[in-house]
Amino acid sequence: MVVYPKVIEKRILEELPFMATENVLMAMVKAGEDRQVCHEKLRVLAQEAGRQVKELGKANDMLDRIQGDEYFAPIHALVPDIINPSNFIGRAPQQVDKFVADEVLPAIGKYSEHFAEVPQLSV
């Protein structure tokens, strides 16, 4: 299995702006804005950004729309922190570590004598 971190990062960043709208909403309410008004503004921006992605095949510009909307000025400086991908992973790192320790390592342990072998390939 080959993991391509840049491909993963690209896909996360494509969806992250939509995932972060609840956090944007909470930050705006904390800044003193009305939740319902903010929700409606985010809904409209999300529909516009979604159209760019789904109908026009363009990049997700939701964050640009938030940053360009004066209504969201109270949190413009906070947006990079709000959309930090690490805010959305919950306990995933600990769960992966536990799964590897409890399931993967015991399953492959019986093959450990083969780990040092270097396979030869002739074409």
Side-chain angles (χ1 to χ4, degrees), residues 23-94:
N23 295 28
V24 169
L25 177 68
M26 290 187 296
M28 287 294 289
V29 170
K30 188 174 180 180
E33 298 299 327
D34 182 89
R35 183 193 178 286
Q36 289 304 114
V37 172
C38 184
H39 182 273
E40 179 61 18
K41 288 191 177 282
L42 285 170
R43 186 187 68 76
V44 170
L45 293 181
Q47 286 180 334
E48 292 168 355
R51 180 177 181 276
Q52 296 295 310
V53 173
K54 296 170 188 169
E55 294 178 21
L56 304 176
K58 295 184 177 180
N60 184 339
D61 65 355
M62 180 71 172
L63 295 179
D64 293 335
R65 290 175 185 276
I66 290 170
Q67 292 288 53
D69 189 322
E70 197 57 36
Y71 174 79
F72 293 98
I75 64 157
H76 281 167
L78 302 175
V79 170
D81 291 332
I82 290 171
I83 63 153
N84 183 333
S86 66
N87 293 335
F88 301 90
I89 62 171
R91 293 190 56 250
Q94 294 85 358

